[in-house]
Amino acid sequence: MNRTHRLFQMMTSLRRMPAPVRAVQLADELNVSLRTVYRDIDALRGLGAVIDGEAGFGYTLIEDAALPPLGFENDELEALVLGLRDVAVIGDPALARAAQSALAKLTARVPPRQAHRLQHAILDVRRFRRPEPPRINVADLRAATWDEETVSFGYTDAKGAASQREVDPLGIVYMQDTNMLMAWCHLRTDYRVFRLDRMDGLARTGKSFRPRRVPMLREHLARIRAEIEAMAESSAQRL
């Protein structure tokens, strides 16, 4: 692997791996020595990459618009097309528009041969059933989630019972037939999921729960996985 290719690979690894990325992880990933990792980090910084951290603490890549875009492999382009087209189908209106815009920008920035592959991609997405449209502004909900700010909204459950909720939003899951908010519910004092199409009157409260979103989301997902595993084990025992 020549040095230029290795620097591109290191940028890709820093983008892909959970931050902070330790030097030993990069060394294993690229099959190089720790000394080479330290030199390459310095080289990337010299080229304009904004990389936070240092030896012993790990590194975090802070994207810099001044850097030229990295090239894509053909399979990577196919994956991007498929993902963006799926978002255009299942995402909320703002995300759907963003996916179409991103695909147009991508087509305009890649080399002509790859632009042709994007315009005439062999992969596509078709959904015979789309999630019910949300009754709230999902862009506001996403913004509150990123800002780790408690939100309030009215909610109608599957039985038609209405309630007012105040929750700490943790993440949004786009599923086959519905889109769900994962959250900590102040009313139930427990983790809950809420269908976006059953929410209305979304409002940001100004109350911050920073910096607990990431650990809370991990705990919520761990509970869901444990419940699924317990159900699978119980099912297997009955067979």
Side-chain angles (χ1 to χ4, degrees), residues 164-205:
Q164 189 68 26
R165 303 297 181 106
E166 191 169 281
V167 309
D168 299 337
L170 306 178
I172 300 172
V173 181
Y174 291 82
M175 304 179 70
Q176 176 67 25
D177 297 319
T178 186
N179 300 330
M180 313 286 292
L181 169 68
M182 304 178 70
W184 173 267
C185 179
H186 292 205
L187 178 65
R188 305 302 183 196
T189 61
D190 201 356
Y191 294 108
R192 289 289 188 272
V193 293
F194 301 93
R195 285 179 48 156
L196 301 192
D197 59 314
R198 292 178 178 167
M199 299 166 57
D200 58 65
L202 179 75
R204 300 178 63 159
T205 66

Side-chain angles (χ1 to χ4, degrees), residues 46-101:
L47 291 171
V50 182
I51 302 174
D52 190 24
E54 58 184 286
F57 295 94
Y59 300 98
T60 299
L61 175 65
I62 301 173
E63 298 291 352
D64 188 344
L67 290 176
L70 293 179
F72 293 102
E73 301 292 338
N74 287 334
D75 284 349
E76 292 173 334
L77 282 177
E78 297 278 9
L80 286 170
V81 170
L82 191 62
L84 288 170
R85 287 183 173 175
D86 199 26
V87 172
V89 173
I90 69 170
D92 59 81
L95 270 187
R97 289 192 299 270
Q100 294 167 346
S101 174

Side-chain angles (χ1 to χ4, degrees), residues 10 13-14 17-30 33-34 37-38 41 52-60:
M10 182 170 288
S13 297
L14 286 168
M17 300 170 73
V21 184
R22 295 169 56 226
V24 67
Q25 292 176 278
L26 291 170
D28 290 342
E29 179 92 358
L30 302 174
S33 67
L34 285 174
V37 169
Y38 299 142
I41 290 290
D52 190 24
E54 58 184 286
F57 295 94
Y59 300 98
T60 299

Side-chain angles (χ1 to χ4, degrees), residues 81-126:
V81 170
L82 191 62
L84 288 170
R85 287 183 173 175
D86 199 26
V87 172
V89 173
I90 69 170
D92 59 81
L95 270 187
R97 289 192 299 270
Q100 294 167 346
S101 174
L103 186 55
K105 289 179 180 178
L106 184 62
T107 303
R109 296 294 296 274
V110 297
R113 183 176 179 181
Q114 290 192 320
H116 178 81
R117 291 181 70 95
L118 286 175
Q119 291 169 342
H120 305 282
I122 62 173
L123 302 180
D124 203 354
V125 174
R126 289 288 183 268

